């Protein structure tokens, strides 16, 4: 099969289109013919090897040679322990090892897969998984936003952010979105009450305090986040610099005990129920999917460059099988 492969960390220039062996599903996995795969910041992190946690699979060279985690496609074969799916089923989901999707075929555990609703194209379904998991758990399951609360989403114009803004608005919150100047209009169009251009204003120094902060791109000190939290407020970091994540892991428990502020790393669970939940919102029109651009498999490097250089508004999708999108 064809796949986009890399053998060293670096810029999108290190990616090549190669002929590789088909993957073989384990007993609890399904083999999927990939129709579409979306790009996440985790792919950019895996490509560049930065932040350092992106090198968990290999410190000097990437462990997995194929990136791409959010896929939608058709089941080809199933492992002997797979119960929910059979060949021909149209499915979508997140691959638990965050890799293998920039290819014509990929293997995924059945746990993180759901049936693709007939009303969504493969491209639309591929745009959902990772961003939906983070947004649903950050805003609803763990964030438990209440009407009238002030919620700030840092990195709100990206994949997770566009879902998070809309979920927080559905829950009746007053929402502030932070991202670059190109994305302020998008955040407002999705319902954000206030927007901040991160290049001009530091939300931890503008005198405002929030009941919930969901941060997908944290790089400040833990004390800056404490300052931006209202009493009894919660700060969740989903991604960011290793220095910030370490500080939060080390000092978060002490801040929780000594102040009434809850500062934590959000560890996202991949439960296919969340995929079904999000697609119901999308199909009912309560939540809008934002797909900025589509590329072919051979253009994956270009697609990653577009995200890495800071242009992607919402999601970027790779169409692996063109022309059969439902
Ligand atoms: N905790 C977990 O269990 C878990 C699980 C999966 C993934 N993750 C992580 O969660 C994160 C998810 O990110 P995503 O996919 O939503 O990323 P994304 O689509 O790239 O969105 C991030 C947004 O943040 C913006 N941004 C960049 N620098 C910023 C700054 N200084 N201040 C505010 N915004 C800034 C980006 O804009 P620009 O265009 O300007 O760069 C982009 O619009 C990734 O780091 C991923 O590794 C965590």
């Amino acid at each position: 099969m064809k796949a986009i492969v890399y053998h060293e960390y670096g810029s999108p220039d290190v990616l090549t289109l190669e002929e590789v062996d088909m993957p073989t599903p384990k007993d609890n996995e399904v083999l999927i013919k990939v129709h579409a795969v979306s790009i996440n910041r985790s792919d950019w992190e895996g490509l560049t090897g930065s932040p350092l946690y992106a090198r968990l699979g290999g410190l000097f060279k990437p462990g997995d040679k194929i990136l791409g985690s959010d896929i939608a496609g058709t089941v080809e074969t199933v492992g002997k322990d797979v119960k929910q799916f059979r060949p021909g089923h149209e499915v979508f989901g997140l691959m638990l090892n965050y890799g293998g999707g920039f290819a014509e075929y990929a293997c995924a555990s059945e746990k993180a897969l759901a049936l693709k609703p007939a009303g969504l194209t493969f491209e639309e379904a591929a745009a959902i998984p990772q961003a939906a998991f983070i947004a649903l758990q950050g805003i609803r399951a763990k964030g438990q936003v209440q009407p009238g609360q002030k919620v700030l989403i840092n990195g709100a114009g990206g994949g997770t952010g566009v879902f998070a803004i809309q979920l927080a608005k559905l829950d009746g919150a007053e929402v502030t979105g932070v991202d670059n100047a190109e994305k302020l209009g998008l955040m407002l169009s999705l319902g954000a009450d206030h927007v901040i251009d991160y290049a001009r204003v530091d939300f931890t120094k503008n005198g405002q305090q929030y009941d919930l902060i969901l941060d997908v791109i944290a790089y400040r000190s833990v004390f800056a986040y404490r300052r931006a939290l209202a009493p009894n407020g919660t700060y969740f970091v989903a991604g960011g610099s290793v220095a910030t994540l370490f500080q939060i892991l080390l000092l978060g428990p002490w801040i929780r005990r000594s102040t009434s502020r809850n500062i934590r790393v959000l560890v996202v669970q991949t439960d296919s129920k969340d995929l079904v939940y999000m697609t119901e919102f999308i199909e009912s029109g309560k939540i809008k999917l934002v797909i900025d651009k589509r590329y072919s498999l051979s253009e994956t490097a270009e697609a990653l460059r577009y995200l890495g250089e800071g242009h992607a508004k919402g999601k970027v999708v790779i169409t692996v099988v063109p022309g059969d999108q439902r």
Side-chain angles (χ1 to χ4, degrees):
M1 67 168 188
K2 290 190 174 57
I4 300 293
V5 178
Y6 77 135
H7 301 279
E8 55 184 312
Y9 295 114
S11 75
D13 297 337
V14 303
L15 295 167
T16 50
L17 181 66
E18 291 180 18
E19 224 27 80
V20 299
D21 291 339
M22 294 264 289
T24 312
K26 298 192 186 107
D27 292 348
N28 64 341
E29 288 182 343
V30 299
L31 174 70
I32 297 165
K33 177 176 168 62
V34 180
H35 290 237
V37 49
S38 79
I39 298 210
N40 287 290
R41 182 156 294 263
S42 52
D43 299 313
W44 179 257
E45 293 167 346
L47 171 66
T48 56
S50 171
L52 209 55
Y53 60 69
R55 295 186 183 229
L56 277 177
L59 191 54
F60 302 108
K61 283 184 173 224
D64 294 320
K65 306 281 185 279
I66 304 174
L67 293 163
S69 67
D70 281 1
I71 56 167
T74 314
V75 174
E76 288 277 311
T77 57
V78 302
K80 72 176 176 51
D81 296 337
V82 171
K83 304 214 166 36
Q84 306 171 63
F85 304 112
R86 58 173 188 272
H89 273 160
E90 294 182 348
V91 295
F92 72 114
L94 170 76
M95 278 178 296
L96 291 177
N97 60 359
Y98 296 98
F102 295 155
E104 291 178 314
Y105 293 87
C107 287
S109 155
E110 74 168 330
K111 272 196 201 149
L113 293 173
L115 287 171
K116 178 182 85 63
L120 292 185
T121 64
F122 285 107
E123 290 171 341
E124 287 167 340
I128 295 171
Q130 194 183 128
F133 285 131
I134 302 173
L136 277 169
Q137 287 165 41
I139 298 294
R140 286 215 156 167
K142 297 183 180 172
Q144 302 196 340
V145 169
Q146 303 300 316
Q149 283 191 328
K150 290 172 82 173
V151 173
L152 180 137
I153 298 146
N154 192 40
T160 303
V162 298
F163 285 141
I165 291 176
Q166 298 180 81
L167 282 170
K169 285 307 294 177
L170 281 177
D171 289 342
E174 179 183 333
V175 177
T176 301
V178 185
D179 212 301
N180 76 38
E182 273 186 54
K183 304 182 194 182
L184 304 186
L186 169 67
M187 295 189 290
L188 287 168
S189 75
L190 295 172
D193 300 285
H194 316 281
V195 289
I196 294 176
D197 171 0
Y198 69 74
R200 293 168 64 92
V201 176
D202 181 339
F203 75 85
T204 65
K205 291 185 181 159
N206 66 355
Q208 298 291 315
Q209 290 190 319
Y210 301 91
D211 299 298
L212 175 71
I213 299 174
L214 175 60
D215 198 344
V216 299
I217 191 137
Y219 60 88
R220 296 177 174 88
S221 97
V222 69
F223 301 106
Y225 299 123
R226 185 186 63 177
R227 190 167 58 234
L229 271 185
N232 300 314
T234 298
Y235 170 89
F236 280 133
V237 56
S241 78
V242 168
T244 296
L245 288 168
F246 262 128
Q247 267 195 34
I248 290 170
L249 285 171
L250 282 176
L251 300 177
W254 170 72
I255 291 176
R256 287 201 291 279
R257 278 198 304 274
S258 57
T259 74
S260 57
R261 289 162 176 86
N262 184 15
I263 298 191
R264 289 176 186 276
V265 174
L266 180 74
V267 180
V268 173
Q269 313 296 322
T270 50
D271 183 338
S272 60
K273 286 196 204 88
D274 279 353
L275 296 177
V276 176
Y277 194 61
M278 187 55 95
T279 51
E280 284 169 3
F281 276 129
I282 293 166
E283 290 201 291
S284 68
K286 287 185 179 154
I287 288 202
K288 218 168 97 181
L289 257 176
V290 181
I291 298 181
D292 181 0
K293 278 198 163 218
R294 294 164 169 82
Y295 293 84
S296 66
L297 185 63
S298 60
E299 295 168 330
T300 300
E302 215 178 299
L304 272 156
R305 188 171 286 116
Y306 184 72
L307 180 132
E309 287 179 353
H311 307 300
K313 298 183 187 77
K315 296 289 301 189
V316 173
V317 175
I318 307 288
T319 308
V320 182
V321 179
D324 60 345
Q325 285 304 311
R326 271 199 213 270

